[in-house]
């Protein structure tokens, strides 16, 4: 009987252990600079290892080639502990991501 009580106590402790829930993440850093109609910049970092930064600039203002040039990166940690980072550019030539885990053509 004593073993059953000890086993039940161990199971109860295991079930009560905190779990890293993404919903419980807190914002550690947040920056936002909205330049207006010709660009923006922002960055944030959370307690669960996610960070993102992005900046944009309007190119060729007032011409037929007017385009928003966006550059940025996003980093996160997978459940197995591996860190992933994607750097990207998005402009008149499309979205172009780069990262060590992304296959190259």
């Amino acid at each position: 009987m004593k073993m059953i009580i000890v086993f039940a106590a161990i199971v109860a402790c295991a079930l009560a252990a905190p779990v890293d829930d993404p919903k419980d993440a807190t914002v550690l850093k947040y920056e936002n600079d909205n330049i207006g109609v010709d660009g923006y910049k922002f960055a944030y970092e959370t307690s669960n290892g996610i960070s993102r930064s992005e900046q944009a600039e309007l190119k060729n203002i007032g011409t037929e080639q007017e385009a928003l040039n966006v550059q940025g990166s996003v980093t996160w940690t997978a459940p197995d502990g591996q860190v992933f980072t994607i750097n990207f550019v998005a402009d008149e030539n499309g979205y172009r991501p780069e990262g060590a885990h992304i296959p190259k053509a």
Side-chain angles (χ1 to χ4, degrees):
M1 184 68 166
K2 193 179 207 184
M3 284 298 271
I4 293 174
I5 294 173
V6 170
F7 179 72
I10 291 172
V11 170
C13 288
L15 292 175
V19 177
D20 289 335
D21 190 349
K23 295 183 294 190
D24 296 331
T26 58
V27 176
L28 302 175
K29 173 183 138 182
Y30 179 75
E31 299 172 1
N32 185 20
D33 185 11
N34 187 347
I35 300 166
V37 295
D38 60 349
Y40 63 87
K41 181 167 57 171
F42 72 85
Y44 64 83
E45 184 179 330
T46 62
S47 62
N48 61 350
I50 297 172
S51 64
R52 180 166 179 203
S53 64
E54 183 174 310
Q55 62 184 20
E57 181 181 3
L58 191 58
K59 300 281 188 171
N60 304 316
I61 299 172
T63 69
E64 288 188 24
Q65 290 79 31
E66 186 174 278
L68 192 61
N69 182 352
V70 181
Q71 298 179 3
S73 67
V74 60
T75 301
W76 71 95
T77 304
D80 65 0
Q82 185 175 0
V83 177
F84 291 95
T85 298
I86 296 176
N87 297 308
F88 62 88
V89 173
D91 56 17
E92 68 274 8
N93 298 314
Y95 176 73
R96 297 181 308 281
E98 294 180 353
H101 65 286
I102 298 175
K104 299 195 186 311

